[in-house]
Amino acid sequence: MTDLIKQTADDILRICRPEKIILFAEKRTMATGKLKALSLCVIVPDDVDCRKLRPRLHLAISADVPVNLSVYTAEEWEDLCADETSYAAWIARKGQVIYEPTT
C-alpha cells in the first residue's frame, strides 16, 4: 500500500470508525506509474447516515489526487453483496481490504 493510500485511510479514520475500507481502483500514469486517482469503498455501521458522511469524508481527505468514495452501511453492503450483479458485489470481488478494525 502506498503512503498516499495509507494517508487517505487515516484521513477517513479521523472522521468515522468504518467496519471496512476497500481499495477497488487505482488510476496511474502510463509513463511513470504515478498514482493519479483512486477509488475507495467505506462500509460504516448501520446507524451512520451515509449521505451526510460522504461530503465530510471528501473534505477530510488530504490526497492531492481525486478520490472516489462509495459509502455503504453494513446492512446495505450485505444486501447488495448478496446480488452478484451489483456494484458492491463487484467491489467485494475485485477490491483489496486496506482497513478492518482489529478485535
Side-chain angles (χ1 to χ4, degrees):
M1 176 175 9
T2 67
D3 289 341
L4 179 64
I5 294 169
K6 182 174 180 353
Q7 179 58 51
T8 302
D10 289 345
D11 291 341
I12 291 168
L13 292 170
R14 281 188 291 113
I15 300 301
C16 68
R17 292 291 164 227
E19 296 184 5
K20 195 179 288 189
I21 301 174
I22 302 170
L23 171 68
F24 65 93
E26 295 177 73
K27 197 173 205 179
R28 297 185 176 272
T29 60
M30 292 290 286
T32 65
K34 183 179 176 186
L35 186 65
K36 64 179 188 177
L38 60 111
S39 296
L40 297 172
C41 178
V42 182
I43 302 152
V44 296
D46 291 330
D47 61 346
V48 174
D49 184 337
C50 294
R51 288 181 1 154
K52 289 182 180 177
L53 177 60
R54 186 178 294 107
R56 290 181 56 220
L57 292 175
H58 276 288
L59 290 172
I61 292 173
S62 60
D64 58 354
V65 299
V67 177
N68 175 49
L69 293 176
S70 297
V71 183
Y72 299 99
T73 65
E75 183 178 0
E76 289 172 326
W77 179 253
E78 201 172 299
D79 289 348
L80 289 167
C81 284
D83 176 0
E84 65 183 42
T85 63
S86 72
Y87 188 52
W90 180 86
I91 292 170
R93 283 191 306 274
K94 299 294 184 182
Q96 172 190 357
V97 175
I98 61 169
Y99 170 81
E100 276 187 293
T102 55
T103 54

